[in-house]
């Protein structure tokens, strides 16, 4: 069964969306995910600044 995550504080930096959620242990986690078709980039971070940096430096591979 997939985990349902409720994202908050969503921002969009180019094709990448950055959002904050609580993990299963109640800690804040931050995700950067690319919304371009066929890209598949998605990572989790402990810091919001790290997720935003990943969003700013992400380049989609053709």
């Amino acid at each position: 069964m997939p985990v349902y995550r409720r994202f908050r504080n969503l921002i969009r930096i180019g094709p990448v969306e950055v959002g904050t959620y609580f993990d299963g242990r109640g800690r804040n986690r931050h995700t950067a995910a690319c919304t371009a078709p066929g890209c598949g980039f998605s990572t989790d971070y402990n810091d919001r600044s790290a997720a935003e940096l990943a969003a700013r430096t992400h380049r989609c591979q053709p």
Side-chain angles (χ1 to χ4, degrees):
M1 184 171 169
V3 176
Y4 175 73
R5 293 191 174 117
R6 184 178 203 153
F7 291 97
R8 54 190 162 73
N9 297 335
L10 289 172
I11 64 167
R12 186 177 197 90
I13 301 172
V16 181
E17 286 189 353
V18 177
T20 302
Y21 69 96
F22 289 112
D23 68 358
R25 298 180 182 207
R27 296 176 297 202
N28 272 335
R29 299 287 290 176
H30 309 279
T31 297
C34 186
T35 58
C39 181
F41 170 77
S42 175
T43 54
D44 289 339
Y45 295 97
N46 292 327
D47 291 342
R48 176 79 180 199
S49 60
E52 290 181 10
L53 178 65
R56 283 182 175 81
T57 58
H58 171 69
R59 299 291 176 254
C60 293
Q61 299 297 325

